[in-house]
Amino acid sequence: MKYLAHLCALLLILSVVVAPAAATDGRYSYITVTSVDVALENENATVTLTYTIDEGIQILVHFLGMSDLRTKVIDIANFKNAEILEIDMEHAVLLVPGAGLDYGEGAYWFPKHEFGVAVPVLTVTSPQDSRTFTNTTDFPRGMGYFRV
């Protein structure tokens, strides 16, 4: 039990100390984001984050559970109302209801969005278009699209 308390304290210290300093290079605490894919369909978005977890922390995540990882993934994605559909040590899939604004008659707008880290490769895909950005902290201008 004593060792568990030490492991919890170490994880807490690492997550607090590393997170603020790492937001500019794809790192957020013990997570390094490699890509983010946003797939737009009507007013909803499916967001897939791919990442690596620092090797020394992987065992702690396995041992202590995914709760801290879930919180950090939500912080990185930075979408209100995001729901994690799937998460593991290499990627997470989130459903974001209402990510696209419904302008009526099948027209939608996905507005500018800021992420919690610099994303090495960001791809935003709608039924009509796909845009890819590199080393960005945000989706800069927004994008209009139509229901299929």
Side-chain angles (χ1 to χ4, degrees), residues 29-78:
S29 186
Y30 54 83
I31 302 168
T32 302
V33 175
T34 55
S35 68
V36 175
D37 296 310
V38 179
L40 303 169
E41 184 176 338
N42 300 334
E43 68 274 355
N44 299 324
T46 302
V47 180
T48 303
L49 287 88
T50 21
Y51 48 80
T52 59
I53 296 175
D54 292 350
E55 195 170 312
I57 302 298
Q58 289 179 10
I59 193 157
L60 292 174
V61 173
H62 277 297
F63 184 66
L64 298 174
M66 296 280 191
S67 178
D68 188 60
L69 178 60
R70 288 176 173 275
T71 300
K72 286 180 174 35
V73 163
I74 293 291
D75 289 346
I76 290 167
N78 194 33

Side-chain angles (χ1 to χ4, degrees), residues 12-141:
L12 179 63
I13 290 168
L14 285 173
S15 67
V16 170
V17 171
V18 179
T24 59
D25 65 355
R27 287 187 56 83
Y28 185 86
S29 186
Y30 54 83
I31 302 168
T32 302
V33 175
T34 55
S35 68
V36 175
D37 296 310
V38 179
L40 303 169
E41 184 176 338
N42 300 334
E43 68 274 355
N44 299 324
T46 302
V47 180
T48 303
L49 287 88
T50 21
Y51 48 80
T52 59
I53 296 175
D54 292 350
E55 195 170 312
I57 302 298
Q58 289 179 10
I59 193 157
L60 292 174
V61 173
H62 277 297
F63 184 66
L64 298 174
M66 296 280 191
S67 178
D68 188 60
L69 178 60
R70 288 176 173 275
T71 300
K72 286 180 174 35
V73 163
I74 293 291
D75 289 346
I76 290 167
N78 194 33
F79 283 99
K80 292 183 180 184
N81 303 322
E83 172 189 341
I84 296 177
L85 300 177
E86 178 182 330
I87 190 165
D88 62 28
M89 301 298 277
E90 297 172 348
H91 84 290
V93 179
L94 289 75
L95 175 63
V96 184
L101 306 173
D102 186 349
Y103 281 6
E105 298 184 22
Y108 298 91
W109 177 257
F110 180 65
K112 175 181 178 175
H113 179 77
E114 191 169 318
F115 295 92
V117 298
V119 178
V121 179
L122 168 64
T123 304
V124 179
T125 305
S126 75
Q128 292 78 34
D129 196 11
S130 181
R131 297 184 188 170
T132 300
F133 302 87
T134 57
N135 299 319
T136 186
T137 57
D138 63 359
F139 180 65
R141 292 179 298 273

